[in-house]
Amino acid sequence: VSENKIAVLKRFRVAVRLWWRWIKGQPSASSAKTMISQARHQSYCATPSVTMFFALIVAWFTLLATFYTHPTIDISVSSAFFRGPLCAGALSGVECGYFPLRRMEVFKGIRWMLYLLPYVAAMLIVVMGLIGAFSRQLREHLPMTRLLVALISLGVGPGLLVNSFLKTFSGRPRPFQTNLFGGNLDFTAAGTFVGECTRNCSFVSGEASGAGWLLCLLFLVPANARVWIAPPLIIASTTM
Protein backbone atom coordinates (compact mmCIF):
# COMPACT_ATOMS: atom_id res chain seq x y z
CA VAL A 1 0.00 0.00 0.00
CA SER A 2 1.44 3.35 -1.03
CA GLU A 3 1.97 6.19 1.45
CA ASN A 4 -0.68 8.30 -0.31
CA LYS A 5 -3.28 5.56 0.13
CA ILE A 6 -2.36 5.19 3.79
CA ALA A 7 -2.75 8.97 4.27
CA VAL A 8 -6.17 8.86 2.58
CA LEU A 9 -7.28 5.97 4.77
CA LYS A 10 -6.18 7.81 7.91
CA ARG A 11 -8.05 10.93 6.88
CA PHE A 12 -11.13 8.83 6.14
CA ARG A 13 -10.92 7.28 9.60
CA VAL A 14 -10.74 10.72 11.22
CA ALA A 15 -13.71 11.85 9.11
CA VAL A 16 -15.74 8.82 10.25
CA ARG A 17 -14.90 9.57 13.89
CA LEU A 18 -15.96 13.18 13.40
CA TRP A 19 -19.23 12.10 11.76
CA TRP A 20 -19.95 9.59 14.58
CA ARG A 21 -19.39 12.23 17.25
CA TRP A 22 -21.72 14.51 15.36
CA ILE A 23 -24.41 11.80 15.39
CA LYS A 24 -23.99 11.19 19.11
CA GLY A 25 -23.97 14.86 19.95
CA GLN A 26 -22.81 17.93 18.08
CA PRO A 27 -19.13 18.50 18.99
CA SER A 28 -17.78 21.81 20.06
CA ALA A 29 -16.08 24.04 17.50
CA SER A 30 -12.67 23.56 19.15
CA SER A 31 -13.03 19.78 19.06
CA ALA A 32 -13.94 19.80 15.38
CA LYS A 33 -11.03 22.08 14.53
CA THR A 34 -8.63 19.85 16.43
CA MET A 35 -9.77 16.73 14.57
CA ILE A 36 -9.60 18.48 11.18
CA SER A 37 -6.09 19.73 11.98
CA GLN A 38 -5.04 16.21 12.94
CA ALA A 39 -6.41 14.88 9.64
CA ARG A 40 -4.48 17.47 7.66
CA HIS A 41 -1.23 16.59 9.41
CA GLN A 42 -1.46 12.84 8.90
CA SER A 43 1.20 13.10 6.18
CA TYR A 44 3.80 13.99 8.82
CA CYS A 45 5.26 11.04 10.70
CA ALA A 46 5.54 10.97 14.47
CA THR A 47 8.36 12.85 16.16
CA PRO A 48 11.57 10.91 16.89
CA SER A 49 11.43 8.87 20.07
CA VAL A 50 13.40 9.60 23.23
CA THR A 51 15.21 6.30 22.68
CA MET A 52 16.52 7.53 19.32
CA PHE A 53 17.63 10.77 20.93
CA PHE A 54 19.71 9.02 23.60
CA ALA A 55 21.02 6.53 21.04
CA LEU A 56 22.43 9.42 19.00
CA ILE A 57 24.06 10.90 22.11
CA VAL A 58 25.67 7.54 22.96
CA ALA A 59 26.88 7.21 19.36
CA TRP A 60 28.41 10.71 19.48
CA PHE A 61 30.33 10.03 22.71
CA THR A 62 31.45 6.66 21.34
CA LEU A 63 32.94 8.38 18.29
CA LEU A 64 34.56 11.01 20.50
CA ALA A 65 36.14 8.31 22.67
CA THR A 66 37.39 6.52 19.56
CA PHE A 67 39.13 9.61 18.16
CA TYR A 68 40.46 10.51 21.62
CA THR A 69 42.06 7.10 22.23
CA HIS A 70 43.21 6.64 18.60
CA PRO A 71 44.42 10.08 17.42
CA THR A 72 46.28 8.51 14.49
CA ILE A 73 42.91 8.08 12.75
CA ASP A 74 42.63 11.86 12.55
CA ILE A 75 46.16 12.19 11.16
CA SER A 76 45.61 9.44 8.59
CA VAL A 77 42.40 10.99 7.29
CA SER A 78 44.02 14.43 7.02
CA SER A 79 47.04 12.89 5.29
CA ALA A 80 44.75 11.49 2.58
CA PHE A 81 44.05 15.08 1.47
CA PHE A 82 47.67 16.21 1.88
CA ARG A 83 50.08 16.15 -1.06
CA GLY A 84 53.75 15.59 -0.32
CA PRO A 85 55.67 14.62 2.84
CA LEU A 86 54.38 15.58 6.27
CA CYS A 87 56.06 18.74 7.51
CA ALA A 88 57.06 17.26 10.87
CA GLY A 89 59.07 14.52 9.19
CA ALA A 90 60.47 16.52 6.27
CA LEU A 91 64.24 16.67 5.90
CA SER A 92 66.08 19.91 6.43
CA GLY A 93 65.91 22.03 3.30
CA VAL A 94 63.13 19.92 1.77
CA GLU A 95 59.79 21.63 1.31
CA CYS A 96 56.93 19.70 2.89
CA GLY A 97 53.53 19.12 1.30
CA TYR A 98 50.31 21.07 1.23
CA PHE A 99 46.52 20.69 1.01
CA PRO A 100 45.73 21.15 -2.71
CA LEU A 101 41.99 21.65 -2.17
CA ARG A 102 42.72 24.76 -0.08
CA ARG A 103 44.27 26.36 -3.17
CA MET A 104 41.36 25.64 -5.54
CA GLU A 105 38.88 28.50 -5.78
CA VAL A 106 36.04 26.26 -6.95
CA PHE A 107 36.20 24.21 -3.75
CA LYS A 108 36.36 27.38 -1.69
CA GLY A 109 33.15 28.53 -3.36
CA ILE A 110 31.43 25.18 -2.82
CA ARG A 111 32.48 25.14 0.83
CA TRP A 112 31.14 28.67 1.31
CA MET A 113 27.79 27.79 -0.26
CA LEU A 114 27.45 24.67 1.90
CA TYR A 115 28.38 26.74 4.94
CA LEU A 116 25.48 29.11 4.20
CA LEU A 117 22.90 26.34 3.69
CA PRO A 118 21.81 26.08 7.37
CA TYR A 119 21.29 29.84 7.55
CA VAL A 120 19.28 29.87 4.32
CA ALA A 121 17.16 27.01 5.69
CA ALA A 122 16.68 28.92 8.95
CA MET A 123 15.48 31.99 7.04
CA LEU A 124 12.96 29.86 5.14
CA ILE A 125 11.71 28.39 8.42
CA VAL A 126 11.26 31.90 9.85
CA VAL A 127 9.32 32.95 6.75
CA MET A 128 7.10 29.85 6.98
CA GLY A 129 6.52 30.55 10.69
CA LEU A 130 5.54 34.16 10.02
CA ILE A 131 3.17 33.09 7.25
CA GLY A 132 1.58 30.58 9.59
CA ALA A 133 1.32 33.15 12.37
CA PHE A 134 -0.64 35.60 10.21
CA SER A 135 -2.70 33.12 8.18
CA ARG A 136 -5.00 30.70 9.98
CA GLN A 137 -5.65 28.69 6.83
CA LEU A 138 -1.96 28.13 6.09
CA ARG A 139 -1.19 27.53 9.77
CA GLU A 140 -3.43 24.46 9.70
CA HIS A 141 -1.23 23.00 6.94
CA LEU A 142 2.15 23.79 8.53
CA PRO A 143 3.94 21.86 11.33
CA MET A 144 4.29 25.00 13.46
CA THR A 145 5.63 23.20 16.54
CA ARG A 146 8.34 21.48 14.53
CA LEU A 147 9.33 24.77 12.90
CA LEU A 148 9.81 26.31 16.35
CA VAL A 149 11.78 23.28 17.59
CA ALA A 150 14.02 23.46 14.50
CA LEU A 151 14.90 27.11 15.15
CA ILE A 152 15.54 26.51 18.85
CA SER A 153 17.77 23.51 18.10
CA LEU A 154 19.79 25.58 15.60
CA GLY A 155 20.34 28.33 18.16
CA VAL A 156 21.20 26.01 21.04
CA GLY A 157 23.23 23.41 19.07
CA PRO A 158 25.34 24.88 16.24
CA GLY A 159 24.91 28.43 17.52
CA LEU A 160 25.44 28.43 21.29
CA LEU A 161 27.04 25.07 22.15
CA VAL A 162 29.31 24.65 19.11
CA ASN A 163 30.34 28.09 17.85
CA SER A 164 30.06 30.08 21.08
CA PHE A 165 31.47 27.52 23.53
CA LEU A 166 33.27 24.48 22.12
CA LYS A 167 35.03 26.19 19.21
CA THR A 168 36.05 29.06 21.48
CA PHE A 169 37.39 27.08 24.44
CA SER A 170 38.49 23.73 22.97
CA GLY A 171 41.84 25.09 21.78
CA ARG A 172 42.20 22.33 19.18
CA PRO A 173 43.95 23.59 16.03
CA ARG A 174 42.77 22.72 12.54
CA PRO A 175 44.99 20.26 10.61
CA PHE A 176 46.66 22.97 8.49
CA GLN A 177 47.50 24.87 11.70
CA THR A 178 49.50 21.94 13.16
CA ASN A 179 53.23 21.40 12.65
CA LEU A 180 52.40 18.12 10.91
CA PHE A 181 50.82 19.95 7.99
CA GLY A 182 52.70 23.23 7.71
CA GLY A 183 51.44 25.12 10.75
CA ASN A 184 53.20 26.04 13.99
CA LEU A 185 50.90 24.46 16.60
CA ASP A 186 51.11 21.01 18.17
CA PHE A 187 48.55 18.41 17.15
CA THR A 188 46.03 17.53 19.90
CA ALA A 189 43.49 14.72 20.02
CA ALA A 190 39.77 15.43 19.87
CA GLY A 191 38.22 16.26 23.24
CA THR A 192 41.45 17.20 25.05
CA PHE A 193 40.88 20.99 25.46
CA VAL A 194 44.64 21.57 25.82
CA GLY A 195 45.49 22.93 22.38
CA GLU A 196 47.01 26.32 21.57
CA CYS A 197 44.37 27.52 19.12
CA THR A 198 42.79 30.78 20.29
CA ARG A 199 40.04 31.47 17.74
CA ASN A 200 37.67 29.47 15.47
CA CYS A 201 39.22 26.18 16.49
CA SER A 202 38.65 22.71 15.09
CA PHE A 203 36.63 20.98 17.83
CA VAL A 204 33.88 20.60 17.11
CA SER A 205 33.29 21.26 13.42
CA GLY A 206 30.81 24.06 12.82
CA GLU A 207 30.08 22.71 9.32
CA ALA A 208 29.43 19.21 10.72
CA SER A 209 27.03 20.54 13.35
CA GLY A 210 25.19 22.53 10.71
CA ALA A 211 25.04 19.44 8.49
CA GLY A 212 23.56 17.37 11.30
CA TRP A 213 20.92 20.04 11.87
CA LEU A 214 20.05 20.04 8.16
CA LEU A 215 19.37 16.30 8.26
CA CYS A 216 16.92 16.82 11.12
CA LEU A 217 14.89 19.10 8.83
CA LEU A 218 13.58 15.99 7.06
CA PHE A 219 10.99 15.81 9.85
CA LEU A 220 9.57 19.11 8.55
CA VAL A 221 8.85 17.57 5.17
CA PRO A 222 5.74 15.45 4.49
CA ALA A 223 6.56 11.75 4.40
CA ASN A 224 5.63 11.31 0.73
CA ALA A 225 8.09 14.06 -0.30
CA ARG A 226 11.11 12.80 1.65
CA VAL A 227 12.01 10.30 -1.07
CA TRP A 228 12.90 13.24 -3.33
CA ILE A 229 14.28 15.66 -0.76
CA ALA A 230 16.36 13.25 1.34
CA PRO A 231 19.07 12.35 -1.26
CA PRO A 232 20.22 15.92 -2.11
CA LEU A 233 19.96 16.91 1.55
CA ILE A 234 22.10 13.95 2.64
CA ILE A 235 24.67 14.67 -0.10
CA ALA A 236 24.89 18.33 0.92
CA SER A 237 25.20 17.41 4.62
CA THR A 238 27.91 14.77 4.15
CA THR A 239 30.05 17.04 1.98
CA MET A 240 30.04 19.96 4.44
Side-chain angles (χ1 to χ4, degrees):
V1 183
S2 66
E3 292 182 351
N4 288 334
K5 290 182 179 179
I6 293 175
V8 171
L9 289 174
K10 288 182 177 179
R11 292 186 181 184
F12 176 75
R13 185 179 62 183
V14 173
V16 171
R17 288 171 55 196
L18 181 60
W19 174 79
W20 181 247
R21 290 191 182 184
W22 193 279
I23 294 297
K24 293 175 63 177
Q26 185 173 356
S28 63
S30 60
S31 176
K33 288 181 180 179
T34 300
M35 295 185 67
I36 293 172
S37 177
Q38 290 175 351
R40 287 174 175 170
H41 287 285
Q42 290 295 337
S43 59
Y44 293 92
C45 72
T47 55
S49 64
V50 176
T51 303
M52 181 184 295
F53 173 75
F54 283 105
L56 290 174
I57 291 179
V58 171
W60 188 87
F61 278 103
T62 301
L63 286 173
L64 177 60
T66 301
F67 283 102
Y68 178 80
T69 55
H70 299 85
T72 53
I73 297 176
D74 235 344
I75 298 174
S76 299
V77 172
S78 297
S79 299
F81 298 91
F82 194 74
R83 180 177 297 174
L86 295 181
C87 299
L91 299 175
S92 178
V94 177
E95 184 178 357
C96 62
Y98 62 97
F99 288 106
L101 295 182
R102 284 181 52 83
R103 303 184 180 184
M104 300 179 66
E105 294 298 326
V106 61
F107 282 101
K108 290 181 180 179
I110 293 174
R111 181 176 180 270
W112 181 247
M113 286 190 295
L114 293 175
Y115 176 79
L116 293 177
L117 267 183
Y119 300 100
V120 174
M123 291 176 62
L124 291 176
I125 291 174
V126 170
V127 171
M128 292 172 63
L130 291 175
I131 291 174
F134 289 101
S135 173
R136 179 179 300 179
Q137 278 187 320
L138 292 176
R139 182 165 63 245
E140 293 175 348
H141 295 276
L142 292 173
M144 297 297 290
T145 302
R146 295 189 183 193
L147 294 177
L148 179 60
V149 171
L151 287 178
I152 293 175
S153 63
L154 176 65
V156 174
L160 183 62
L161 182 61
V162 173
N163 289 296
S164 297
F165 177 72
L166 289 175
K167 291 179 72 66
T168 301
F169 298 103
S170 67
R172 187 170 190 250
R174 297 174 181 270
F176 74 89
Q177 295 175 319
T178 66
N179 48 25
L180 293 173
F181 302 104
N184 56 4
L185 302 178
D186 292 330
F187 171 83
T188 58
T192 54
F193 285 80
V194 295
E196 301 172 334
C197 174
T198 57
R199 180 178 176 273
N200 196 23
C201 304
S202 175
F203 182 80
V204 290
S205 170
E207 286 88 347
S209 64
W213 179 78
L214 279 177
L215 285 177
C216 295
L217 296 186
L218 283 175
F219 291 100
L220 298 179
V221 181
N224 55 4
R226 289 175 195 159
V227 177
W228 308 102
I229 296 178
L233 189 60
I234 291 173
I235 292 173
S237 298
T238 54
T239 53
M240 289 179 67

